[in-house]
Amino acid sequence: MLLFILYVSILRVNNMKQNRNFPFAKVTKKQEASLKKGHPWIYEDEITEVSGEIENGCLIDVFGSRSNYLGTGFYSEKSKIRIRILGNNANEKYDDAFFERRVQYAIDYRKDVMGDDFSACRLIHGEADGLPGLTVDRYNDILVTEIASYGTEMHKDGIYRALKEKMKEYGEEIHGIYERNEGDLRLREGLKQYKGWYGEEHPDTCITEITENGIIYEVDVENGQKTGFFLDQKYNRRAIQRIAKGKRVLDCCTHTGSFALNAAKAGAASVLAMDISESALEMAAKNAERNHLEIAFRQADVFEILPQLKSEHAQFDFIILDPPAFTKSRKTFHNARKGYKEINREAMKLLGRGGYLASASCSHFMPRDEFRLMLSEAAREAGFSIRIIEERQAAFDHPVLPDVPETEYLKFFIVQII
C-alpha cells in the first residue's frame, strides 16, 4: 500500500500539470479493462486500494493495477456503483468551468439534432452527456431535473446556473427549474427524496403545454410520469402515422394517449385507446378533445383485454404495445420476458395475418436481441411469422453510447404478421 501511494505521488508530479490533491483508488484488471473500453462505472468489489481523505460525493482519481492513471470521477460511499467516471484527462481541474463545458456540449448537441423540436426535449441524458446520474428535460421555459448521483448533487448549483446561462445565449429564457428527485436510486446514493421548485424564481403553475408532431399536450411537471411526459418516444409516435392511416387501431397502455393521438391525426379509420389507469385515460381524453381528434377509450389491464377482445370478435389492423417497464433488475428478467411474450402473442392472435404491430420495451435489462427473439417466439406460438419493418430506439435527444449498454434502454419494433 505504501509503495502504491509513493508511486502514484511520483506519477502525479511527473504527469499532472494540475496539483489537484484528490484522493485516489486502485482497481482490478477486470475493472481497468472495462474503463479502457469506455464504461464509466466502477463497482465496489472492483476497488482494491484507496488512499486520501474520502468523503461521499468527492472527486477521486483512479489507477490501474500498474498504477497507471485511468480517470477521475465521483465517489459514492453507499452505492454499489462506487465511482462514476467523469473524464480521463490527467490535467483536468474538474472545476465549475469543466461542468459548464459539459452543459454547453449537451445543449449544442440538442440544438443541432432536434431542430424545431428543441422546445420540448431532453437536454441532458446522464452518462451519455458526461454528467453522471443527471436528467434534464425541457418543456418550453421550464426545466425538469432528476439527480441520482451524490457527486452531481453537490455540483448542481453550478450546473443549473450554466443551464440557464447557456440557454439564454441561444435566446431561450428559462423561468423555472422543477426537481423530480423521487427515484429509489437516490436512497442508494444516500440522498433524500423530494420534489419541488429549485430557488425562488419560478412560474405560478406546474402545468404547461407542448406541441409534438403537431399535437398539443398538457404537461404536469409536478405529477406527470417521469418528468411530466415521455419525450423518448417522440419520433416513434411519428413513425406509426404512415401505417395507421385508414387502419382500425388499438393503442394498449395509452397513458396520456400519445400513440392514439398520432394514429387519429394520421387519419386512422378508428382508434381505441386503453389503459389500466383511470386518471391516465382522463388526461388522454382531455388531450383528444384539445386536438379535436376522435378516439374511443376503455379502462382495462393489457393482459386481460387482448384475449377478451379476441373473444368479442373485435377487429383491428394495427395494435400498439407500449407497456411500462416489466423489469427493473436482472433478477426479474425471465418473468418480465414471459410478460412481454404473452401480450405480444395475444396481440398477434387478435390481428391475424396482414396485421401490423408496434411493440416497445423501455427496460435496459431487456436487450435488443432478446426482445427481437421474443417477438419471433410470440409469433410462432400464435401460429404466425413476422417480418420486421423497422427497428427504432429513443429520440436523438436520448443519445446512446455503444460502450455503455445502459444508455440504450428503449426498443421499438414495427412488424407485420405473416
Short mmCIF file of all heavy atoms in Angstrom, two decimals, residues 330-356:
data_model
loop_
_atom_site.label_atom_id
_atom_site.label_comp_id
_atom_site.label_asym_id
_atom_site.label_seq_id
_atom_site.Cartn_x
_atom_site.Cartn_y
_atom_site.Cartn_z
N ARG A 330 -32.01 -7.43 -13.21
CA ARG A 330 -31.73 -8.70 -13.89
C ARG A 330 -32.43 -9.86 -13.21
O ARG A 330 -32.73 -10.88 -13.84
CB ARG A 330 -30.21 -8.95 -13.90
CG ARG A 330 -29.46 -8.00 -14.82
CD ARG A 330 -27.97 -8.33 -14.87
NE ARG A 330 -27.28 -7.45 -15.80
CZ ARG A 330 -26.80 -6.25 -15.48
NH1 ARG A 330 -26.95 -5.80 -14.24
NH2 ARG A 330 -26.18 -5.50 -16.37
N LYS A 331 -32.73 -9.73 -11.92
CA LYS A 331 -33.36 -10.81 -11.17
C LYS A 331 -34.76 -11.14 -11.70
O LYS A 331 -35.21 -12.28 -11.64
CB LYS A 331 -33.45 -10.46 -9.68
CG LYS A 331 -32.10 -10.35 -8.99
CD LYS A 331 -32.27 -9.97 -7.53
CE LYS A 331 -30.93 -9.85 -6.82
NZ LYS A 331 -31.08 -9.45 -5.40
N THR A 332 -35.45 -10.13 -12.22
CA THR A 332 -36.84 -10.34 -12.68
C THR A 332 -36.93 -10.43 -14.20
O THR A 332 -38.02 -10.39 -14.76
CB THR A 332 -37.73 -9.18 -12.19
OG1 THR A 332 -37.22 -7.93 -12.69
CG2 THR A 332 -37.78 -9.14 -10.67
N PHE A 333 -35.77 -10.58 -14.88
CA PHE A 333 -35.75 -10.60 -16.34
C PHE A 333 -36.65 -11.69 -16.92
O PHE A 333 -37.44 -11.44 -17.84
CB PHE A 333 -34.32 -10.76 -16.85
CG PHE A 333 -34.24 -11.12 -18.30
CD1 PHE A 333 -34.46 -10.16 -19.28
CD2 PHE A 333 -33.98 -12.43 -18.70
CE1 PHE A 333 -34.41 -10.50 -20.63
CE2 PHE A 333 -33.93 -12.77 -20.03
CZ PHE A 333 -34.14 -11.80 -21.00
N HIS A 334 -36.53 -12.91 -16.42
CA HIS A 334 -37.25 -14.04 -17.03
C HIS A 334 -38.76 -13.89 -16.90
O HIS A 334 -39.50 -14.16 -17.86
CB HIS A 334 -36.77 -15.36 -16.42
CG HIS A 334 -35.35 -15.70 -16.76
ND1 HIS A 334 -34.95 -16.02 -18.04
CD2 HIS A 334 -34.22 -15.73 -15.99
CE1 HIS A 334 -33.65 -16.25 -18.06
NE2 HIS A 334 -33.19 -16.08 -16.83
N ASN A 335 -39.23 -13.45 -15.74
CA ASN A 335 -40.66 -13.21 -15.59
C ASN A 335 -41.14 -12.08 -16.49
O ASN A 335 -42.23 -12.14 -17.08
CB ASN A 335 -41.00 -12.88 -14.13
CG ASN A 335 -40.93 -14.09 -13.23
OD1 ASN A 335 -41.08 -15.23 -13.69
ND2 ASN A 335 -40.70 -13.88 -11.96
N ALA A 336 -40.29 -11.05 -16.61
CA ALA A 336 -40.64 -9.93 -17.48
C ALA A 336 -40.73 -10.40 -18.93
O ALA A 336 -41.64 -10.01 -19.67
CB ALA A 336 -39.62 -8.82 -17.34
N ARG A 337 -39.79 -11.22 -19.35
CA ARG A 337 -39.78 -11.73 -20.73
C ARG A 337 -41.07 -12.50 -21.02
O ARG A 337 -41.64 -12.39 -22.11
CB ARG A 337 -38.56 -12.62 -20.95
CG ARG A 337 -38.30 -12.96 -22.41
CD ARG A 337 -37.11 -13.90 -22.54
NE ARG A 337 -36.67 -14.06 -23.91
CZ ARG A 337 -37.27 -14.84 -24.80
NH1 ARG A 337 -38.35 -15.53 -24.46
NH2 ARG A 337 -36.79 -14.95 -26.03
N LYS A 338 -41.51 -13.30 -20.05
CA LYS A 338 -42.77 -14.02 -20.23
C LYS A 338 -43.93 -13.06 -20.41
O LYS A 338 -44.83 -13.31 -21.21
CB LYS A 338 -43.02 -14.93 -19.01
CG LYS A 338 -42.07 -16.11 -18.89
CD LYS A 338 -42.38 -16.92 -17.63
CE LYS A 338 -41.41 -18.08 -17.47
NZ LYS A 338 -41.67 -18.83 -16.21
N GLY A 339 -43.90 -11.97 -19.64
CA GLY A 339 -44.96 -10.97 -19.75
C GLY A 339 -44.97 -10.31 -21.12
O GLY A 339 -46.03 -10.15 -21.74
N TYR A 340 -43.79 -9.93 -21.60
CA TYR A 340 -43.70 -9.32 -22.93
C TYR A 340 -44.20 -10.30 -23.99
O TYR A 340 -44.94 -9.92 -24.92
CB TYR A 340 -42.25 -8.93 -23.24
CG TYR A 340 -41.79 -7.66 -22.57
CD1 TYR A 340 -40.72 -7.67 -21.67
CD2 TYR A 340 -42.39 -6.44 -22.86
CE1 TYR A 340 -40.28 -6.50 -21.07
CE2 TYR A 340 -41.95 -5.26 -22.25
CZ TYR A 340 -40.90 -5.31 -21.35
OH TYR A 340 -40.47 -4.15 -20.75
N LYS A 341 -43.78 -11.56 -23.87
CA LYS A 341 -44.18 -12.53 -24.89
C LYS A 341 -45.69 -12.77 -24.86
O LYS A 341 -46.33 -12.90 -25.91
CB LYS A 341 -43.44 -13.86 -24.69
CG LYS A 341 -43.75 -14.88 -25.79
CD LYS A 341 -42.73 -16.00 -25.83
CE LYS A 341 -42.86 -16.93 -24.65
NZ LYS A 341 -42.01 -18.15 -24.83
N GLU A 342 -46.27 -12.79 -23.67
CA GLU A 342 -47.71 -13.04 -23.56
C GLU A 342 -48.52 -11.95 -24.26
O GLU A 342 -49.42 -12.25 -25.06
CB GLU A 342 -48.12 -13.12 -22.09
CG GLU A 342 -49.61 -13.35 -21.89
CD GLU A 342 -50.01 -13.44 -20.43
OE1 GLU A 342 -49.12 -13.66 -19.58
OE2 GLU A 342 -51.21 -13.27 -20.13
N ILE A 343 -48.23 -10.70 -23.99
CA ILE A 343 -49.04 -9.64 -24.59
C ILE A 343 -48.80 -9.52 -26.09
O ILE A 343 -49.73 -9.23 -26.87
CB ILE A 343 -48.84 -8.27 -23.90
CG1 ILE A 343 -47.40 -7.78 -24.00
CG2 ILE A 343 -49.29 -8.34 -22.45
CD1 ILE A 343 -47.21 -6.37 -23.50
N ASN A 344 -47.57 -9.78 -26.54
CA ASN A 344 -47.29 -9.73 -27.97
C ASN A 344 -47.95 -10.90 -28.70
O ASN A 344 -48.49 -10.72 -29.81
CB ASN A 344 -45.78 -9.72 -28.22
CG ASN A 344 -45.17 -8.34 -28.04
OD1 ASN A 344 -45.18 -7.52 -28.95
ND2 ASN A 344 -44.65 -8.08 -26.84
N ARG A 345 -47.94 -12.08 -28.09
CA ARG A 345 -48.61 -13.24 -28.68
C ARG A 345 -50.10 -12.99 -28.82
O ARG A 345 -50.70 -13.25 -29.88
CB ARG A 345 -48.35 -14.48 -27.81
CG ARG A 345 -49.01 -15.75 -28.36
CD ARG A 345 -48.83 -16.91 -27.39
NE ARG A 345 -49.53 -16.66 -26.14
CZ ARG A 345 -48.97 -16.70 -24.94
NH1 ARG A 345 -47.67 -16.95 -24.81
NH2 ARG A 345 -49.68 -16.49 -23.85
N GLU A 346 -50.72 -12.48 -27.76
CA GLU A 346 -52.17 -12.25 -27.80
C GLU A 346 -52.53 -11.14 -28.78
O GLU A 346 -53.58 -11.18 -29.43
CB GLU A 346 -52.69 -11.92 -26.40
CG GLU A 346 -52.52 -13.05 -25.40
CD GLU A 346 -53.14 -14.36 -25.88
OE1 GLU A 346 -54.30 -14.32 -26.37
OE2 GLU A 346 -52.48 -15.40 -25.79
N ALA A 347 -51.67 -10.14 -28.91
CA ALA A 347 -51.91 -9.08 -29.88
C ALA A 347 -51.85 -9.63 -31.30
O ALA A 347 -52.68 -9.27 -32.17
CB ALA A 347 -50.90 -7.96 -29.71
N MET A 348 -50.90 -10.50 -31.55
CA MET A 348 -50.77 -11.10 -32.88
C MET A 348 -51.98 -11.97 -33.21
O MET A 348 -52.47 -11.98 -34.35
CB MET A 348 -49.48 -11.93 -32.96
CG MET A 348 -48.22 -11.09 -32.91
SD MET A 348 -46.72 -12.11 -32.89
CE MET A 348 -45.45 -10.90 -32.53
N LYS A 349 -52.48 -12.70 -32.23
CA LYS A 349 -53.69 -13.51 -32.45
C LYS A 349 -54.88 -12.63 -32.81
O LYS A 349 -55.70 -12.98 -33.66
CB LYS A 349 -54.02 -14.31 -31.18
CG LYS A 349 -53.09 -15.47 -30.88
CD LYS A 349 -53.54 -16.18 -29.61
CE LYS A 349 -52.64 -17.34 -29.25
NZ LYS A 349 -53.06 -17.98 -27.97
N LEU A 350 -54.95 -11.49 -32.15
CA LEU A 350 -56.07 -10.57 -32.39
C LEU A 350 -55.95 -9.93 -33.77
O LEU A 350 -56.97 -9.68 -34.43
CB LEU A 350 -56.07 -9.49 -31.30
CG LEU A 350 -57.20 -8.47 -31.29
CD1 LEU A 350 -58.56 -9.16 -31.23
CD2 LEU A 350 -57.04 -7.53 -30.10
N LEU A 351 -54.76 -9.72 -34.25
CA LEU A 351 -54.55 -9.09 -35.55
C LEU A 351 -54.72 -10.08 -36.71
O LEU A 351 -55.39 -9.80 -37.69
CB LEU A 351 -53.13 -8.49 -35.62
CG LEU A 351 -52.90 -7.19 -34.87
CD1 LEU A 351 -51.40 -6.90 -34.75
CD2 LEU A 351 -53.60 -6.03 -35.58
N GLY A 352 -54.06 -11.23 -36.58
CA GLY A 352 -54.08 -12.18 -37.69
C GLY A 352 -53.14 -11.75 -38.81
O GLY A 352 -52.49 -10.69 -38.74
N ARG A 353 -53.06 -12.58 -39.85
CA ARG A 353 -52.13 -12.32 -40.95
C ARG A 353 -52.46 -11.01 -41.65
O ARG A 353 -53.61 -10.70 -41.91
CB ARG A 353 -52.16 -13.47 -41.96
CG ARG A 353 -51.42 -14.70 -41.48
CD ARG A 353 -51.32 -15.77 -42.53
NE ARG A 353 -50.48 -16.88 -42.06
CZ ARG A 353 -50.91 -17.88 -41.30
NH1 ARG A 353 -52.20 -17.93 -40.96
NH2 ARG A 353 -50.09 -18.81 -40.89
N GLY A 354 -51.40 -10.27 -41.96
CA GLY A 354 -51.55 -8.99 -42.63
C GLY A 354 -51.62 -7.82 -41.68
O GLY A 354 -51.48 -6.67 -42.11
N GLY A 355 -51.84 -8.09 -40.39
CA GLY A 355 -51.93 -7.02 -39.42
C GLY A 355 -50.56 -6.46 -39.05
O GLY A 355 -49.52 -7.08 -39.31
N TYR A 356 -50.58 -5.30 -38.45
CA TYR A 356 -49.34 -4.62 -38.07
C TYR A 356 -49.28 -4.46 -36.55
O TYR A 356 -50.30 -4.21 -35.90
CB TYR A 356 -49.24 -3.25 -38.72
CG TYR A 356 -49.12 -3.31 -40.23
CD1 TYR A 356 -50.25 -3.28 -41.03
CD2 TYR A 356 -47.87 -3.41 -40.84
CE1 TYR A 356 -50.14 -3.36 -42.42
CE2 TYR A 356 -47.75 -3.48 -42.22
CZ TYR A 356 -48.89 -3.45 -43.00
OH TYR A 356 -48.78 -3.52 -44.37
#
